[in-house]
Amino acid sequence: MKNIAVLASGRGTNLQAIIENVENGTLHANLACVISDNENAKALERARKHNIKAIYLDPGPKKTWLIPEVEQNYVKTLQDHNVDLVCLAGFMRILKKPLLDAFAGRIINIHPALLPSFPGLNVQKKALDWGVKFSGCTVHFVDDTVDGGPIIVQAAVPVLDDDTPEKLAERILKEEWRIYTEAINLVLSGKYKIDGRRVIKTDDR
Ligand code: GRF
């Protein structure tokens, strides 16, 4: 069984789905640890409740990224737990070289929009304001661009006339919980190849 780690800054509903899917056997991985840059993250509480190692790592002086020495500490913690795949789930910092180099091709993220539309923050409101009729979520590999790495899985949901950002976010979240597990299983299985920007499933029959 391969080891995954979840990095989360906040409430952790994606983490919760991952925990439950590991426990019920639909996610074929060992959740080695949950790491947060926020001491008070509900995600840490959720992990502890399920006897999963929950680690707060001081994020250092910057708000949206980690200075190299601090990021190196994240790398060390992940390596100490023999992590094969790093899963970002509402981790509110942009990753830089130390992590991207140490875990090249082994970091994935979930984003609540159909990339490449609406990268960044508050994207449910952006989708609504733009007037799109469908939005959704995307699991993608993380590279040195913001929300720009190769797409692994997406799911679409309709945008309804009486939607608010909150209602749309809720509809998208339900799909997030489902496709994150699907994407993690695929990446851990190794049964894919990356052709340009395309992540293509391979068959071992
Ligand atoms: C999710 O919408 C995820 O797509 C985005 O941040 C949010 C995290 O929610 N990256 P939660 O903490 O998993 O509930």
Side-chain angles (χ1 to χ4, degrees), residues 11-14 90 110-112 176:
R11 69 187 166 179
T13 66
N14 275 287
I110 185 146
H111 181 76
E176 295 187 35

Side-chain angles (χ1 to χ4, degrees), residues 169-179:
E170 186 63 30
R171 193 174 310 121
I172 293 171
L173 259 184
K174 294 200 173 113
E175 294 300 306
E176 295 187 35
W177 302 335
R178 183 177 65 77
I179 69 167

Side-chain angles (χ1 to χ4, degrees), residues 8-16 43 46 88-92 109-113 124 137-138 147 169 172-173 176-177:
S9 302
R11 69 187 166 179
T13 66
N14 275 287
L15 167 68
Q16 186 69 37
R46 291 180 193 270
L88 309 182
F91 188 66
M92 301 304 285
N109 179 46
I110 185 146
H111 181 76
Q124 297 91 346
C137 46
T138 305
D147 300 325
I172 293 171
L173 259 184
E176 295 187 35
W177 302 335

Side-chain angles (χ1 to χ4, degrees), residues 17 107 169 189:
I107 309 177
S189 76

